[in-house]
Coordinates of all heavy atoms in Angstrom, one line a residue:
R535 N 2.1 6.1 7.4 CA 1.1 7.1 7.9 C 1.7 8.5 8.0 O 1.1 9.5 7.6 CB 0.6 6.7 9.3 CG -0.4 5.6 9.2 CD -1.1 5.4 10.6 NE -1.9 4.3 10.6 CZ -3.2 4.2 10.1 NH1 -3.7 5.3 9.6 NH2 -3.9 3.1 10.2
E536 N 2.9 8.6 8.5 CA 3.5 9.9 8.7 C 4.0 10.5 7.4 O 3.9 11.8 7.2 CB 4.7 9.8 9.6 CG 4.3 9.5 11.1 CD 5.5 9.2 12.0 OE1 6.6 9.2 11.5 OE2 5.2 9.0 13.2
T537 N 4.5 9.8 6.5 CA 5.1 10.3 5.3 C 4.3 10.3 4.0 O 4.6 11.0 3.1 CB 6.5 9.6 4.9 OG1 6.3 8.2 4.7 CG2 7.5 9.8 6.1
A538 N 3.2 9.5 4.0 CA 2.4 9.4 2.8 C 0.9 9.7 3.1 O 0.3 10.6 2.5 CB 2.5 8.0 2.2
V539 N 0.3 9.0 4.1 CA -1.1 9.2 4.4 C -1.4 10.6 4.9 O -2.3 11.3 4.4 CB -1.6 8.1 5.4 CG1 -3.1 8.4 5.7 CG2 -1.5 6.7 4.8
G540 N -0.6 11.1 5.8 CA -0.8 12.4 6.4 C -0.7 13.5 5.3 O -1.6 14.3 5.1
P541 N 0.4 13.5 4.5 CA 0.5 14.5 3.5 C -0.6 14.4 2.4 O -1.1 15.4 1.9 CB 1.9 14.3 2.9 CG 2.7 13.7 4.0 CD 1.7 12.9 4.8
A542 N -1.0 13.2 2.1 CA -2.1 13.0 1.1 C -3.4 13.6 1.6 O -4.2 14.1 0.8 CB -2.2 11.5 0.8
L543 N -3.6 13.4 2.9 CA -4.9 14.0 3.5 C -4.9 15.5 3.4 O -6.0 16.1 3.3 CB -5.0 13.5 4.9 CG -5.4 12.1 5.1 CD1 -5.3 11.7 6.6 CD2 -6.8 11.8 4.6
T544 N -3.8 16.1 3.6 CA -3.7 17.6 3.6 C -3.6 18.2 2.2 O -3.8 19.4 2.0 CB -2.6 18.1 4.5 OG1 -1.4 17.6 4.0 CG2 -2.8 17.6 5.9
A545 N -3.1 17.4 1.2 CA -3.0 17.9 -0.1 C -4.3 18.2 -0.7 O -5.3 17.6 -0.5 CB -2.3 16.9 -1.0
R546 N -4.3 19.2 -1.6 CA -5.6 19.7 -2.2 C -5.4 19.5 -3.7 O -4.3 19.6 -4.2 CB -5.9 21.1 -1.9 CG -6.1 21.3 -0.4 CD -7.4 20.7 0.1 NE -7.6 20.8 1.5 CZ -7.8 19.8 2.3 NH1 -7.9 18.6 1.8 NH2 -8.0 20.0 3.6
G547 N -6.5 19.4 -4.4 CA -6.4 19.4 -5.9 C -6.3 18.0 -6.4 O -6.2 17.0 -5.7
L548 N -6.4 17.9 -7.7 CA -6.3 16.6 -8.4 C -4.9 16.1 -8.6 O -4.0 16.9 -8.6 CB -7.0 16.7 -9.8 CG -8.4 17.1 -9.8 CD1 -8.9 17.3 -11.2 CD2 -9.3 16.1 -9.1
V549 N -4.7 14.8 -8.6 CA -3.4 14.3 -8.9 C -3.1 14.5 -10.4 O -4.0 14.1 -11.3 CB -3.4 12.8 -8.6 CG1 -2.1 12.1 -9.1 CG2 -3.6 12.5 -7.1
P550 N -2.0 15.1 -10.8 CA -1.7 15.3 -12.2 C -1.7 14.0 -12.9 O -1.2 13.0 -12.4 CB -0.3 16.0 -12.2 CG -0.2 16.5 -10.8 CD -1.0 15.7 -9.9
A551 N -2.1 14.0 -14.1 CA -2.2 12.7 -14.9 C -0.9 12.0 -15.0 O -0.8 10.8 -14.9 CB -2.8 13.0 -16.3
V552 N 0.2 12.8 -15.1 CA 1.5 12.1 -15.2 C 1.9 11.4 -13.9 O 2.8 10.6 -13.9 CB 2.6 13.1 -15.7 CG1 2.3 13.6 -17.1 CG2 2.8 14.3 -14.7
R553 N 1.3 11.8 -12.8 CA 1.6 11.2 -11.5 C 0.7 10.0 -11.2 O 1.0 9.3 -10.2 CB 1.5 12.2 -10.4 CG 2.5 13.4 -10.5 CD 3.9 12.9 -10.2 NE 4.9 14.0 -10.2 CZ 6.1 13.8 -10.6 NH1 6.5 12.7 -11.0 NH2 6.9 14.9 -10.6
E554 N -0.4 9.9 -11.9 CA -1.3 8.8 -11.5 C -0.7 7.4 -11.7 O -0.8 6.6 -10.8 CB -2.6 8.9 -12.4 CG -3.5 9.9 -12.0 CD -4.8 9.9 -12.8 OE1 -5.2 8.8 -13.3 OE2 -5.5 10.9 -12.8
E555 N 0.1 7.2 -12.7 CA 0.8 6.0 -12.9 C 1.7 5.7 -11.8 O 1.7 4.5 -11.3 CB 1.6 6.0 -14.2 CG 2.4 4.8 -14.5 CD 3.3 5.0 -15.7 OE1 3.2 6.0 -16.4 OE2 4.0 4.0 -16.0
Q556 N 2.4 6.7 -11.3 CA 3.3 6.5 -10.2 C 2.6 6.1 -8.9 O 3.1 5.2 -8.2 CB 4.2 7.8 -10.0 CG 5.1 8.0 -11.1 CD 5.8 9.4 -11.0 OE1 5.3 10.3 -10.3 NE2 6.9 9.5 -11.6
I557 N 1.6 6.8 -8.5 CA 0.9 6.5 -7.3 C 0.2 5.2 -7.3 O 0.2 4.4 -6.4 CB -0.1 7.7 -6.9 CG1 -0.6 7.5 -5.4 CG2 -1.3 7.8 -7.8 CD1 0.5 7.7 -4.4
L558 N -0.4 4.8 -8.5 CA -1.0 3.5 -8.6 C 0.0 2.4 -8.5 O -0.2 1.4 -7.8 CB -1.7 3.4 -10.0 CG -3.0 4.2 -10.1 CD1 -3.4 4.4 -11.6 CD2 -4.1 3.6 -9.4
G559 N 1.2 2.6 -9.1 CA 2.3 1.6 -9.0 C 2.8 1.5 -7.6 O 3.1 0.4 -7.1
A560 N 3.0 2.6 -6.9 CA 3.5 2.6 -5.6 C 2.6 1.9 -4.6 O 3.0 1.0 -3.8 CB 3.8 4.0 -5.1
V561 N 1.3 2.1 -4.7 CA 0.3 1.5 -3.8 C 0.3 0.0 -4.2 O 0.2 -0.9 -3.3 CB -1.1 2.2 -3.9 CG1 -2.1 1.4 -3.1 CG2 -1.0 3.6 -3.4
A562 N 0.3 -0.3 -5.5 CA 0.3 -1.8 -5.9 C 1.5 -2.5 -5.3 O 1.4 -3.6 -4.8 CB 0.4 -1.9 -7.4
S563 N 2.7 -1.8 -5.2 CA 3.9 -2.4 -4.7 C 3.7 -2.7 -3.2 O 4.1 -3.8 -2.7 CB 5.1 -1.5 -4.8 OG 5.4 -1.4 -6.2
V564 N 3.1 -1.8 -2.5 CA 2.8 -2.0 -1.0 C 1.9 -3.2 -0.8 O 2.2 -4.1 0.0 CB 2.2 -0.7 -0.4 CG1 1.7 -1.0 1.0 CG2 3.2 0.4 -0.4
L565 N 0.8 -3.3 -1.6 CA -0.1 -4.4 -1.5 C 0.6 -5.7 -1.9 O 0.3 -6.8 -1.2 CB -1.3 -4.2 -2.3 CG -2.2 -3.0 -1.9 CD1 -3.5 -3.0 -2.7 CD2 -2.6 -3.1 -0.4
E566 N 1.4 -5.7 -2.9 CA 2.2 -6.9 -3.3 C 3.1 -7.4 -2.2 O 3.2 -8.6 -1.9 CB 3.0 -6.7 -4.6 CG 2.1 -6.5 -5.8 CD 2.8 -5.9 -7.0 OE1 3.9 -5.4 -6.9 OE2 2.1 -5.9 -8.1
T567 N 3.7 -6.5 -1.5 CA 4.6 -6.8 -0.4 C 3.8 -7.4 0.8 O 4.2 -8.4 1.4 CB 5.4 -5.6 0.1 OG1 6.1 -5.1 -1.1 CG2 6.3 -5.9 1.2
L568 N 2.7 -6.8 1.1 CA 1.8 -7.3 2.1 C 1.3 -8.7 1.8 O 1.2 -9.6 2.6 CB 0.6 -6.3 2.4 CG 1.0 -5.1 3.2 CD1 -0.2 -4.2 3.3 CD2 1.5 -5.5 4.6
Q569 N 0.9 -8.8 0.5 CA 0.4 -10.2 0.1 C 1.5 -11.2 0.2 O 1.3 -12.3 0.7 CB 0.0 -10.1 -1.4 CG -0.7 -11.4 -1.9 CD 0.3 -12.4 -2.3 OE1 1.4 -12.2 -2.9 NE2 0.0 -13.7 -2.0
G570 N 2.8 -10.8 -0.1 CA 3.9 -11.8 0.1 C 4.0 -12.2 1.6 O 4.2 -13.3 1.9
L571 N 3.9 -11.2 2.5 CA 4.0 -11.5 3.9 C 2.8 -12.3 4.4 O 3.0 -13.3 5.1 CB 4.0 -10.2 4.7 CG 4.1 -10.3 6.2 CD1 5.4 -11.0 6.6 CD2 4.1 -8.9 6.9
T572 N 1.6 -11.9 4.0 CA 0.4 -12.7 4.5 C 0.3 -14.1 3.9 O -0.2 -15.0 4.5 CB -0.9 -11.9 4.2 OG1 -1.0 -11.7 2.8 CG2 -0.9 -10.6 5.0
G573 N 0.9 -14.2 2.7 CA 0.9 -15.5 2.1 C 1.8 -16.6 2.7 O 1.6 -17.8 2.5
I574 N 2.7 -16.1 3.6 CA 3.6 -17.0 4.3 C 2.9 -17.7 5.5 O 3.2 -18.8 5.8 CB 4.8 -16.2 4.9 CG1 5.7 -15.7 3.7 CG2 5.6 -17.0 5.8 CD1 6.7 -14.6 4.1
F575 N 1.9 -17.0 6.0 CA 1.4 -17.5 7.3 C 0.1 -18.4 7.3 O -0.1 -19.0 8.4 CB 1.0 -16.2 8.2 CG 2.3 -15.6 8.7 CD1 2.7 -14.4 8.1 CD2 3.1 -16.1 9.6 CE1 3.9 -13.8 8.5 CE2 4.2 -15.5 10.1 CZ 4.6 -14.3 9.5
P576 N -0.6 -18.6 6.3 CA -1.8 -19.4 6.5 C -1.5 -20.8 7.0 O -2.2 -21.2 7.9 CB -2.4 -19.5 5.0 CG -2.0 -18.3 4.4 CD -0.6 -18.0 5.0
D577 N -0.6 -21.5 6.5 CA -0.3 -22.8 7.0 C 0.5 -22.9 8.3 O 0.8 -23.9 8.9 CB 0.5 -23.6 5.9 CG -0.3 -23.8 4.7 OD1 -1.6 -23.8 4.8 OD2 0.2 -23.9 3.6
R578 N 0.9 -21.7 8.8 CA 1.7 -21.6 10.0 C 0.9 -21.2 11.2 O 1.3 -21.2 12.3 CB 2.9 -20.7 9.8 CG 3.9 -21.3 8.8 CD 4.9 -20.3 8.4 NE 5.8 -20.1 9.6 CZ 6.8 -19.2 9.6 NH1 7.0 -18.4 8.5 NH2 7.5 -19.0 10.7
M579 N -0.4 -20.8 11.0 CA -1.3 -20.4 12.1 C -1.8 -21.6 12.8 O -2.0 -22.7 12.3 CB -2.5 -19.6 11.5 CG -2.1 -18.2 10.9 SD -1.6 -17.1 12.2 CE 0.2 -17.0 11.9
T580 N -1.9 -21.4 14.1 CA -2.4 -22.5 15.0 C -3.9 -22.7 14.9 O -4.3 -23.8 15.0 CB -2.0 -22.1 16.5 OG1 -0.6 -21.9 16.5 CG2 -2.3 -23.3 17.4
T581 N -4.6 -21.6 14.8 CA -6.1 -21.8 14.8 C -6.7 -21.7 13.4 O -6.1 -21.1 12.5 CB -6.7 -20.6 15.6 OG1 -6.5 -19.4 14.9 CG2 -6.1 -20.5 17.0
P582 N -7.8 -22.3 13.2 CA -8.5 -22.3 11.9 C -8.9 -20.8 11.6 O -8.8 -20.5 10.4 CB -9.8 -23.1 12.2 CG -9.5 -24.0 13.3 CD -8.5 -23.2 14.2

């Protein structure tokens, strides 16, 4: 939130085409990491 979301909210203008690949990949990496974490827990939860 502090280092990415905040600055992204205050930035103006379009993302340069050469940077689109980087931001898409970076966000994909975050989601893949979260998926790895959330994938560990379904069978370990106590409640349905």
Side-chain angles (χ1 to χ4, degrees):
R535 284 190 185 279
E536 291 173 357
T537 62
V539 176
L543 287 170
T544 60
R546 299 289 176 233
L548 299 174
V549 174
V552 297
R553 296 288 186 215
E554 284 187 23
E555 176 185 359
Q556 293 172 336
I557 192 73
L558 288 163
V561 174
S563 293
V564 170
L565 293 185
E566 289 163 351
T567 302
L568 284 173
Q569 187 278 324
L571 180 62
T572 60
I574 294 169
F575 288 106
D577 295 332
R578 295 173 65 186
M579 291 292 106
T580 305
T581 67

